[in-house]
Amino acid sequence: MTAAADRATRVTAPWRRVDRAAGGLALDLGLYAASAAFAAVTAATSTLPPHRAWGSIAAFGYLVAALAVAGQLAARRRDAAAPLAGLPARWAVTGLAWATTTLLPLLAQSVQRAAGRTDRAQEEVVVVEHSGNRLAETGTPYLGHDAIAALPADERLLGYTPYQPGMALFGLPRAVADGWWTDARVWFAVATALLLALAVRVLRTGAPTAADTPTAAGDPAGGGDRTAAVLRGIQAATVLPVCALTLATGGDDLPVLAACLLALALAATGRPGRAGLAVGAAGALKLFAWPVALVLIAWAATHRSAGRLTAGALGLPALALLPALLVDRDALVENVLRFPLGHGLVTSPAQSPFPGHLIATTLPGGRVAAAALLVAAGAAIAVRLLRRPPRTATAAALICGYGLLAAILLMPTTRFGYLLYPVALLAWAPALTRPAPAPAAP
């Protein structure tokens, strides 16, 4: 056990030095400066109008945040204990960055879209809003095979809803009224903010389980400063361009991610029942949350609480599926199974050049080979869970992060935006562990 802790310390030591340099401000500056460059390049070169519109606003937001951090560094050089360079000030700059690089572009595009601009939202926003309207009118968010086939050829892609039924709830406001505030992205942002705020509150006030309290040598939270680790995790889930761009232009993945992060926080503080409800809510929105649920069930089994966590983790998605199953089973299968597996009337446009896609499209029998690699990766993770189930929420987050990264890289149909899941989960892992208290004086 000591050797394992020593190896973990050697692996994480370089990252800790980078993360803690200048009280965390050095990495903050690098994050905002690099993001400003990314946003500027996106504004100048992207072929997608919503992405260009995001970049033209976000570049200035990131630049303002970088200048604010530069001011914090200057204050720290004059006085290492200056409040301007402290953790509360870093939280304030993070909030400013999220407001200017995510919320401001999102609201601008929502207002422009309500005024008649048709190029101010990605397809998933329209799909979710249409599914909400169908849910209100028919009781199911899905169109059947024949109904999709009857659409004009260029509209069939938008006829598919490759999400779980719960995602349609974000489209219900548009079924009631037509305005900027009924844009599905606005409600994605509201849900994301509430879930992340609750996750932060859980980690700040909840006590960790005994298994989630490591020895000092294995503490991944950076020498006991758990709040700094929480901040870094929140930055990864909000102001990183892969998250900020996604929420401002599409956004359906961010509530799913936030609910998964909340579930891991609840697990870290010994609340398996509530963790199951959180990850179950995520699973009722999108299939990406289901692997996280399986890993958390394996974690709960080591704490003799698998039943409590499973009830919510699997029960909520099942309840969400039941109405759609009763109203039109074939429509549910067509949208949730056939289309994602490539057997729909049209194929998904998600074709980022990751290894799985390249293998599927360039090699003879490549689709079979890519599917075999994906299955092999899933089997390896399953064996790992069975033989050595995660005993801490930190270990569960790491397995989720690396597992989803492998799946995204190997899926024949995928996109760059999906990387927000492994990036945020891996950055969240250090925030889930609280170091052991210092030994009492003799």
Side-chain angles (χ1 to χ4, degrees):
M1 292 177 62
T2 302
D6 290 341
R7 285 195 299 271
T9 302
R10 287 196 297 270
V11 170
T12 59
W15 163 251
R16 288 188 196 175
R17 286 195 294 270
V18 173
D19 184 37
R20 297 163 62 184
L25 292 173
L27 188 56
D28 286 351
L29 180 61
L31 166 65
Y32 297 131
S35 299
F38 176 88
V41 171
T42 300
T45 64
S46 177
T47 59
L48 300 174
H51 288 203
R52 290 200 306 272
W54 169 82
S56 64
I57 297 176
F60 292 101
Y62 286 124
L63 181 59
V64 169
L67 292 174
V69 176
Q72 289 178 295
L73 283 168
R76 190 176 190 277
R77 277 194 289 269
R78 290 193 300 269
D79 180 7
L84 186 60
L87 198 55
R90 290 179 60 204
W91 275 101
V93 173
T94 299
L96 172 67
W98 196 54
T100 55
T101 65
T102 305
L103 300 183
L104 182 59
L106 186 158
L107 292 176
Q109 293 196 33
S110 299
V111 170
Q112 291 170 1
R113 181 178 176 226
R117 291 290 297 267
T118 59
D119 61 348
R120 284 297 178 261
Q122 292 187 178
E123 290 85 355
E124 52 262 39
V125 178
V126 179
V127 168
V128 170
E129 291 173 353
H130 286 175
S131 69
N133 189 64
R134 285 193 293 269
L135 178 64
E137 293 180 350
T138 67
T140 177
Y142 305 116
L143 284 177
H145 178 277
D146 294 342
I148 296 173
L151 295 173
D154 60 347
E155 296 180 13
R156 290 175 183 171
L157 179 62
L158 295 182
Y160 278 100
T161 303
Y163 309 118
Q164 298 300 290
M167 188 66 75
L169 297 177
F170 292 99
L172 287 178
R174 180 68 72 171
V176 175
D178 190 6
W180 68 266
W181 61 273
T182 63
D183 192 298
R185 289 170 293 182
V186 173
W187 298 100
F188 290 149
V190 170
T192 300
L194 291 176
L195 290 168
L196 289 178
L198 184 56
V200 171
R201 183 176 183 274
V202 166
L203 290 177
R204 283 183 170 180
T205 61
T209 61
D212 285 295
T213 304
T215 62
D219 169 29
D225 195 353
R226 190 187 200 186
T227 306
V230 173
L231 171 61
R232 192 66 76 199
I234 291 296
Q235 287 175 328
T238 55
V239 298
L240 273 183
V242 69
C243 294
L245 170 62
T246 299
L247 184 54
T249 61
D252 57 284
D253 288 294
L254 269 299
V256 181
L257 172 65
C260 290
L261 298 182
L262 173 60
L264 288 163
L266 290 166
T269 53
R271 302 165 185 174
R274 296 180 184 181
L277 292 174
V279 77
L285 300 177
K286 205 165 186 180
L287 282 173
F288 261 105
W290 289 27
V292 179
L294 294 177
V295 174
L296 280 174
I297 290 172
W299 165 84
T302 67
H303 294 263
R304 298 181 180 180
S305 55
R308 281 186 290 162
L309 193 142
T310 303
L314 301 184
L316 283 182
L319 287 175
L321 285 168
L322 184 59
L325 187 65
L326 294 175
V327 172
D328 193 336
R329 181 186 63 184
D330 290 338
L332 173 67
V333 173
E334 177 72 21
N335 286 263
V336 176
L337 293 179
R338 292 196 189 109
F339 177 72
L341 293 175
H343 299 293
L345 293 171
V346 293
T347 57
S348 172
Q351 297 180 351
S352 297
F354 288 141
H357 176 69
L358 296 177
I359 291 172
T361 56
T362 60
L363 296 180
R367 183 166 288 275
V368 175
L373 288 173
L374 183 60
V375 171
I381 295 172
V383 171
R384 163 65 164 81
L385 291 175
L386 290 173
R387 295 187 61 183
R388 288 194 299 136
R391 296 184 176 275
T392 67
T394 301
L398 293 174
I399 293 173
C400 292
Y402 288 121
L404 284 175
L405 178 60
I408 291 166
L409 294 178
L410 294 175
M411 284 192 300
T413 301
T414 186
R415 60 178 60 181
F416 282 112
Y418 292 155
L419 290 175
L420 65 90
Y421 286 99
V423 168
L425 286 166
L426 293 174
W428 192 242
L432 302 175
T433 307
R434 180 176 294 171

